[in-house]
Amino acid sequence: MTGPEEHDLTLTPDLTVLRPEAPTTIRWRMCALIAVASFSAYLLRINMSVAGGPMAADLGLSPVQLGVVLGGFAWGYALFQFP
């Protein structure tokens, strides 16, 4: 019977033994990148709702017109979520 360490080895065509590579940290880096991107997208969405009142007052927008502007931002945001 063979030990578990023998199953982890690989032979190349020139008969050298390759050991398995250590796991990389790329998945954690990608998770961190996705978390930062999600947080910044959340802040941008919140920013539009906070800025809506003063923006409507400065531009003289009615509540319906402000809804169209904020809806256009949301639709544009949603459109670029798909590759």
Side-chain angles (χ1 to χ4, degrees):
M1 187 168 207
T2 61
E5 63 277 358
E6 292 179 22
H7 292 292
D8 293 339
L9 303 177
T10 305
L11 289 176
T12 61
D14 61 351
L15 299 179
T16 58
V17 177
L18 294 177
R19 303 244 183 252
E21 293 184 23
T24 63
T25 60
I26 191 70
R27 73 178 62 142
W28 297 112
R29 291 179 186 177
M30 290 302 295
C31 284
L33 180 65
I34 290 170
V36 168
S38 296
F39 181 71
S40 92
Y42 177 74
L43 285 179
L44 289 174
R45 287 194 305 263
I46 295 298
N47 186 28
M48 284 302 291
S49 66
V50 170
M55 184 173 67
D58 286 346
L59 299 174
L61 298 175
S62 71
V64 173
Q65 291 171 326
L66 179 62
V68 169
V69 170
L70 294 179
F73 177 78
W75 278 107
Y77 189 85
L79 180 68
F80 285 103
Q81 291 298 308
F82 299 105

